[in-house]
Amino acid sequence: MLVAISIFVLIMSVLIIVSMKSRDDDSKTILSMRKKQNATSFRESALKKKLEQMAEEKAKFDKKFQIETMCLQAGYKVSYGEFVISCIGSAILLPIITGVITNNPILAIMFIPVGYMIPGQVMAFIKNRRVGLMDKQVGSFMKLVIERYKSQGDFAKSVEGCLVDFKGQEPLYSELKQTILDINLNVPTGESMDNLARRTGNKYLQRLADYYKITADLGTKDAKENILGQAFLQYEENRKIKSTLKSEIAGPVREAYIMLASIPMMIAYQVFTSDTYVKFMTTTTMGKVGSAVIVGVLMGAIWFINAKIGSPLD
């Protein structure tokens, strides 16, 4: 371990000296430095685009749509290619860092798939939390926009009027701003509502968008209002059912998070109470295998919670 640190310090020192020398030589030619930076940036951008294109060409449409939708619901506009690049980068860097720190080749190899799945699990965790918050806000938005539509007769203006009501109430406020921006950029109102429903992950908001597109061909105002009102009534019925289910599964969900947190807590306890624990887990074969098993169980539990227990109720 000391040898690795010494080599790292030596390499960094050489790089610093070389960079300082290069900085002195180029100080007289600022223009040439700017050209070099632009050329490097262009090459990096071209390489990134090439890698993204390769990843997207090999992926199925439904897989791309699923990943990009998850990122949008988490609040990040990330393409499928960018997501895959982040997964590959994590799968390369994490095993190297793990192998250097722990001196455990088994754990380092295990961290290849673990590193690949970490960006997705982090994004899924953020998405679950964010969608849960928006589910609580969508009902109020649907009710307000329908009532405004009844009085104004213009759905786009009704959506825009709701922005003031939700100011400061994130994350729905940001999504409404994006929807209004789409409408102002001449994106059809129905398509803008489809995009909002996709970003919020709420199927009843999607139904409101579908019902709005249906009502565009109806002649009577009462028929339009009645059809749009059905989306809100369905949302309310589903909300009551969800409320009952959430109260019933609150205990298992809480217990799952407690059990997950207990694993690193037990490791920390062993580190502080046993002088030989770290040496055993990092130098012996049994300890290295045990460390790999613990990490595997931990990542499996995180995946199960994100995919099943912690995901929004449907």
Side-chain angles (χ1 to χ4, degrees):
M1 187 65 180
L2 291 175
V3 174
I5 295 174
S6 301
I7 294 173
F8 175 77
V9 172
L10 179 61
I11 293 173
M12 290 301 297
S13 301
V14 173
L15 290 175
I16 291 171
I17 294 172
V18 171
S19 64
M20 290 177 64
K21 181 65 169 61
S22 177
R23 195 180 303 119
D24 292 337
D25 293 340
D26 291 342
S27 60
K28 298 179 182 178
T29 56
I30 298 176
L31 182 60
S32 63
M33 181 186 296
R34 295 300 183 189
K35 289 181 178 180
K36 290 179 182 178
Q37 290 175 345
N38 291 336
T40 302
S41 177
F42 178 79
R43 286 194 298 270
E44 291 176 352
S45 178
L47 177 60
K48 178 174 175 290
K49 289 181 179 179
K50 182 63 176 178
L51 293 174
E52 290 177 16
Q53 183 179 0
M54 291 173 59
E56 292 181 359
E57 286 176 351
K58 295 180 180 179
K60 296 181 180 180
F61 175 80
D62 55 346
K63 180 66 173 179
K64 289 169 55 179
F65 186 83
Q66 179 185 4
I67 294 297
E68 291 178 356
T69 299
M70 178 183 67
C71 295
L72 285 173
Q73 292 173 358
Y76 300 98
K77 192 174 182 180
V78 178
S79 69
Y80 178 79
E82 291 173 332
F83 179 82
V84 171
I85 290 174
S86 68
C87 292
I88 294 174
S90 177
I92 294 173
L93 292 176
L94 198 59
I96 295 174
I97 295 172
T98 303
V100 171
I101 294 176
T102 65
N103 193 26
N104 187 342
I106 300 175
L107 193 60
I109 293 173
M110 177 173 285
F111 263 90
I112 295 175
V114 169
Y116 188 85
M117 68 182 288
I118 279 180
Q121 293 304 306
V122 171
M123 199 70 74
F125 176 80
I126 298 173
K127 186 256 316 185
N128 290 341
R129 182 178 178 276
R130 196 166 182 269
V131 168
L133 291 174
M134 287 189 288
D135 279 345
K136 299 176 182 178
Q137 301 170 331
V138 162
S140 299
F141 166 71
M142 292 174 66
K143 185 175 182 179
L144 286 171
V145 76
I146 292 171
E147 292 300 323
R148 278 195 167 91
Y149 181 64
K150 289 179 180 179
S151 61
Q152 298 178 357
D154 189 321
F155 198 86
K157 290 183 178 179
S158 300
V159 174
E160 188 172 355
C162 292
L163 185 64
V164 178
D165 300 322
F166 284 90
K167 186 174 183 179
Q169 298 187 38
E170 295 292 352
L172 188 60
Y173 179 71
S174 297
E175 300 302 341
L176 289 178
K177 284 178 63 178
Q178 181 60 51
T179 302
I180 294 169
L181 178 62
D182 290 343
I183 294 174
N184 291 336
L185 292 174
N186 296 323
V187 177
T189 304
E191 184 178 342
S192 299
M193 290 298 296
D194 285 337
N195 294 335
L196 175 62
R198 181 189 179 191
R199 295 194 302 270
T200 59
N202 190 283
K203 64 181 180 181
Y204 295 98
L205 195 55
Q206 181 63 62
R207 290 184 188 180
L208 180 66
D210 294 337
Y211 291 169
Y212 164 73
K213 287 181 283 187
I214 293 172
T215 59
D217 298 327
L218 298 178
T220 63
K221 182 179 178 182
D222 291 340
K224 293 181 179 182
E225 294 174 357
N226 290 335
I227 291 178
L228 290 176
Q230 288 300 312
F232 177 71
L233 292 176
Q234 293 170 15
Y235 167 83
E236 278 294 301
E237 292 176 0
N238 181 72
R239 183 186 62 81
K240 294 176 182 178
I241 296 173
K242 277 186 177 181
S243 178
T244 303
L245 291 175
K246 284 181 179 179
S247 62
E248 291 179 356
I249 68 171
V253 171
R254 183 170 57 252
E255 291 172 2
Y257 281 113
I258 291 174
M259 292 177 64
L260 181 63
S262 67
I263 297 176
M265 289 176 63
M266 288 297 298
I267 294 174
Y269 174 79
Q270 291 290 338
V271 169
F272 286 108
T273 58
S274 176
D275 296 335
T276 60
Y277 179 78
V278 175
K279 183 178 180 180
F280 173 79
M281 297 298 288
T282 58
T283 59
T284 65
T285 302
M286 184 178 295
K288 293 178 180 180
V289 173
S291 299
V293 172
I294 291 172
V295 171
V297 171
L298 188 64
M299 293 307 301
I302 292 173
W303 170 85
F304 182 76
I305 291 174
N306 280 339
K308 304 297 181 181
I309 299 178
S311 60
L313 293 174
D314 189 4

